[in-house]
Amino acid sequence: MRSMQTVVIGGGFGGIAAALRLRARGHDVTIIDRCPRLGGRAQVFERGGYRHDAGPTVITAPFLFTELFSLFGETLSDHLTLQPLDPWYRFRFADNSLFDYGPGIERMEAEIARFNPDDVAGYHKLLAESKALFDIGFKQLGDQPFHNAGFMLRQIPHLLRLRINRSVWTMVSSHIKHPYLRQALSLQPLLVGGNPFHTTCIYGLIHYLEREWGVHFAMGGTGALVDAMAGLLERQGVKVENGRSVVAIEQDQKQIKGITLDDGRRLTADTYVSNIDPMHLYGELMQPAPRVAKLKQKLAKTSMGLFVLYFGTDRQYPSIAHHTIWLGERYRELLKDIFDRKILAEDFSLYLHRPTATDQSFAPEGHDSFYVLAPVPNLQADINWAVEGPKLQERIIKALEESIMPDLSQHVRSPFFMTPEDFRENYQSVDGSGFSIAPLFRQSAWFRFHNQAEGLRNLYLVGAGTHPGAGLPGVLSSAKVLDRLLPERFGETG
């Protein structure tokens, strides 16, 4: 008797979660990852005495993390503190008005009433619809495999009742009338790479998901969460090789027969799990790719790009909440520039992450650490980021200085930024997209890249580009799908 041998290609959250779930079933697991540390896009930068989480910063559905530790009889809280946040997000609108979105229904009602009392009832209706989406889309289908067309067909009556062909914007606008509240309550798709005006309203379930479990911050940062999971991998005997890329995948008779690393080594296994961008897997790495997968790859629409500016300040800005959404004057038209026209506009909207609002370890005493994200066109646009990157940095600092961060230009320390070109180079993200393929209706469920690879018996996919989608709950749930896909293959083999 020998253990099932499994290689996981890519050490993002999906790959880590898959490795742990497979290990819990008795597999011998090796993770191969090209980044210097585990976490995929959740790398950590240290510059000038300031620490920055490079990737995801919003933690919802924390039970998905605690589950991974409980598989081995451990408790996440013994290794990491998840701190509930209040507010979850602070919105700053173009006229400098503020809206705090967070826990407590009575407080939410009061916040909404400041803008439009009639929208209080509308918000309750929105939450009720969000719960219906949550019950089907997250609880029932979030960890179900969609590689079988028959299974998809059986879900159609449920999905039609939920009218998931509508956009998130349409759904929100049917309940909320004030334009600012419509913006604030339709923004969630941007956190997973989608345009609220195009993204299927199934993602409207995020409203209820946040109400169910809140929004949290891992003390020490998302990097500390990765470190806690890396420690669990080590204790359970999962082998990890960082700084290594897969350069070739060998196929034979609808199976993967082996992979070749950039140092020339060839690895073989019984089962392979890919946590890399499916667009890169099928479009560039696997030649030839299975026909159906190749067709999906050619037809797929990638998500938008990200410009992420990191800096410290030698003073603190206590009025900036941990998560702050800074909205510019344009909303729909700016999104058209980003997603449709693919031009870099002079204006922008921003997400600010100020971890020092909760955890002073990110900066020297009396200083702040900041991560500022601006959605931008991906690399399908004709943008020279070597030229435009510094200009955009300057415009963002100026805009923040003139609105919510007085004298910012005098206090900025150690600034640097990432562009879609960095996402392509560092993470092999096709088109430099921030979240793999876009969360459109025609790219969801069965229409998304399958967790059971199209046309290959021993290759499985996890991560943002496969079902159920991007965001930490999505990629962690994609690993749970493996529990349903491979029950008879887990454990010992002869």
Side-chain angles (χ1 to χ4, degrees):
M1 299 288 287
R2 70 175 180 86
S3 296
M4 186 79 75
Q5 303 294 310
T6 297
V7 170
V8 178
I9 307 168
F13 279 105
I16 294 171
L20 288 167
R21 290 186 175 277
L22 289 162
R23 184 60 185 149
R25 299 296 186 98
H27 285 219
D28 280 344
V29 185
T30 299
I31 299 177
I32 305 296
D33 189 71
R34 70 195 309 266
C35 292
R37 69 193 303 275
L38 285 173
R41 299 180 187 199
Q43 300 294 299
V44 177
F45 300 137
E46 302 267 0
R47 299 287 176 90
Y50 302 94
R51 186 166 75 249
H52 309 280
D53 280 324
T57 59
V58 179
I59 297 175
T60 54
F63 78 93
L64 290 168
F65 292 102
T66 59
E67 274 184 357
L68 297 173
F69 283 78
S70 65
L71 290 173
F72 305 97
E74 295 195 27
T75 303
L76 173 61
S77 59
D78 290 339
H79 306 278
L80 183 81
T81 298
L82 291 179
Q83 179 68 36
L85 296 182
D86 185 2
W88 298 334
Y89 306 98
R90 174 168 293 158
F91 290 87
R92 175 270 181 194
F93 300 105
D95 63 357
N96 286 315
S97 59
L98 301 177
F99 171 63
D100 277 0
Y101 176 66
I105 288 294
E106 291 184 359
R107 289 169 55 194
M108 273 298 300
E109 290 174 343
E111 282 290 292
I112 291 169
R114 291 195 299 107
F115 291 85
N116 181 15
D118 292 341
D119 280 335
V120 172
Y123 178 69
H124 283 282
K125 293 176 182 178
L126 175 63
L127 260 186
E129 185 167 6
S130 177
K131 183 180 187 302
L133 291 165
F134 172 86
D135 287 342
I136 296 292
F138 188 84
K139 291 179 68 175
Q140 293 187 29
L141 301 179
D143 60 0
Q144 294 286 338
F146 268 84
H147 65 289
N148 186 296
F151 179 79
M152 177 66 181
L153 289 172
R154 291 193 295 273
Q155 308 314 312
I156 287 177
H158 306 294
L159 300 176
L160 287 177
R161 282 197 295 272
L162 296 172
R163 296 180 293 160
I164 68 165
N165 59 308
R166 296 173 299 155
S167 70
V168 169
W169 175 264
T170 300
M171 172 185 149
V172 170
S173 297
S174 69
H175 301 297
I176 304 296
K177 303 308 176 188
H178 194 283
Y180 283 175
L181 296 178
R182 284 180 169 181
Q183 292 177 24
L185 297 174
S186 69
L187 266 175
Q188 284 87 348
L190 285 165
L191 301 179
V192 293
N195 182 341
F197 294 92
H198 298 159
T199 298
T200 168
C201 71
I202 194 73
Y203 286 88
L205 64 81
I206 296 174
H207 286 290
Y208 189 81
L209 184 146
E210 290 171 337
R211 286 273 155 228
E212 182 76 358
W213 290 295
V215 175
H216 297 76
F217 175 70
M219 296 300 286
T222 311
L225 175 57
V226 172
D227 290 342
M229 297 173 76
L232 180 59
L233 289 168
E234 183 178 4
R235 290 191 296 277
Q236 298 306 321
V238 174
K239 297 180 285 293
V240 177
E241 286 199 41
N242 284 109
R244 293 268 71 94
S245 294
V246 174
V247 296
I249 297 178
E250 178 187 344
Q251 307 168 63
D252 181 45
Q253 298 297 315
K254 295 186 177 181
Q255 289 198 88
I256 302 300
K257 304 298 289 185
I259 61 173
T260 302
L261 305 185
D262 55 0
D263 61 2
R265 282 181 296 151
R266 181 176 180 271
L267 301 182
T268 61
D270 302 296
T271 302
Y272 300 83
V273 178
S274 172
N275 183 213
I276 59 180
D277 185 353
M279 296 285 285
H280 175 71
L281 174 71
Y282 292 129
E284 301 172 24
L285 187 58
M286 188 177 293
Q287 299 296 336
R291 184 169 56 187
V292 175
K294 186 65 175 178
L295 179 62
K296 281 188 177 181
Q297 182 267 329
K298 286 185 175 180
L299 297 176
K301 182 179 177 63
T302 47
S303 66
M304 85 282 196
L306 301 174
F307 178 88
V308 192
L309 172 62
Y310 307 90
F311 58 86
T313 57
D314 63 5
R315 56 156 289 188
Q316 291 196 316
Y317 288 89
S319 65
I320 309 300
H322 190 117
H323 299 301
T324 297
I325 310 292
W326 187 100
L327 291 165
E329 293 185 2
R330 298 190 308 152
Y331 189 65
R332 184 191 294 262
E333 288 302 310
L334 175 61
L335 292 172
K336 283 185 178 180
D337 286 346
I338 294 168
F339 288 91
D340 303 329
R341 303 182 186 112
K342 296 191 183 299
I343 60 174
L344 184 62
E346 287 294 312
D347 60 330
F348 38 73
S349 287
L350 306 169
Y351 158 64
L352 283 75
H353 180 229
R354 178 181 168 244
T356 36
T358 306
D359 184 350
Q360 187 56 52
S361 72
F362 275 74
E365 190 68 32
H367 294 221
D368 270 335
S369 172
F370 285 96
Y371 156 133
V372 182
L373 181 153
V376 295
N378 63 31
L379 293 179
Q380 292 178 1
D382 183 20
I383 299 170
N384 184 341
W385 283 107
V387 174
E388 298 300 331
K391 292 180 181 178
L392 183 53
Q393 171 181 311
E394 184 177 343
R395 293 204 305 274
I396 288 173
I397 290 174
K398 181 180 179 182
L400 293 174
E401 181 173 52
E402 292 176 348
S403 55
I404 58 175
M405 299 178 69
D407 303 318
L408 176 60
S409 60
Q410 300 173 34
H411 296 284
V412 166
R413 297 293 179 266
S414 305
F416 64 103
F417 57 78
M418 291 180 66
T419 75
E421 290 181 345
D422 295 298
F423 280 76
R424 178 178 61 187
E425 176 65 25
N426 297 344
Y427 310 128
Q428 296 179 322
S429 176
V430 173
D431 295 331
S433 66
F435 305 89
S436 189
I437 62 172
L440 304 171
F441 176 70
R442 64 178 176 85
Q443 295 184 165
S444 299
W446 185 85
F447 302 103
R448 208 166 180 84
F449 289 105
H450 293 172
N451 305 97
Q452 163 73 70
E454 292 88 338
L456 292 162
R457 289 191 293 268
N458 63 339
L459 176 63
Y460 302 87
L461 276 64
V462 295
T466 190
H467 172 72
L472 290 181
V475 300
L476 293 173
S477 294
S478 72
K480 289 187 75 171
V481 174
L482 299 189
D483 283 342
R484 301 184 183 276
L485 279 174
L486 297 171
E488 77 285 359
R489 299 278 305 276
F490 284 57
E492 301 294 317
T493 63

